[in-house]
Amino acid sequence: MARVVVDVMLKPEILDPQGQAVQRALPRLGFGDIAADVRQGKRFELEVAEPVTDDKLARIHELAETFLANTVIENFTVRVENATHGAPA
């Protein structure tokens, strides 16, 4: 079994109010020295029972492009993580 991860992030030129809110909170929480900028995104994990072939990966890319991400304002990446059923995280 394999895990395919789709990460979706707002494009750099798009305002990210959630990321800005987190960044403004960091100094109040004692973490002001951690990050110069914060961007918030989404992560989707797809457990795939069959082997992840090039065709399957192309279909997942299509899924991400048409359903998981709004490509007008978001970028996305697709990657395969090897995972075995029941393996510790």
Side-chain angles (χ1 to χ4, degrees):
M1 184 171 291
R3 176 179 295 132
V4 178
V5 177
V6 179
D7 289 310
V8 180
M9 295 292 295
L10 287 170
K11 291 181 177 182
E13 62 272 16
I14 302 297
L15 181 66
D16 183 358
Q18 289 178 301
Q20 289 176 343
V22 169
Q23 177 150 4
R24 285 192 304 271
L26 292 178
R28 291 192 310 269
L29 299 171
F31 298 107
D33 60 334
I34 299 294
D37 190 26
V38 177
R39 304 286 290 175
Q40 181 267 335
K42 301 177 277 191
R43 174 184 167 113
F44 298 91
E45 294 182 0
L46 306 166
E47 296 293 331
V48 181
E50 303 108 22
V52 181
T53 62
D54 288 343
D55 288 340
K56 178 73 73 177
L57 203 53
R59 291 284 291 152
I60 293 169
H61 190 276
E62 181 182 2
L63 165 70
E65 187 171 34
T66 59
F67 183 65
L68 301 179
N70 176 349
T71 57
V72 173
I73 62 170
E74 295 174 318
N75 293 322
F76 67 91
T77 60
V78 177
R79 70 179 187 280
V80 179
E81 291 183 352
N82 290 331
T84 57
H85 191 65

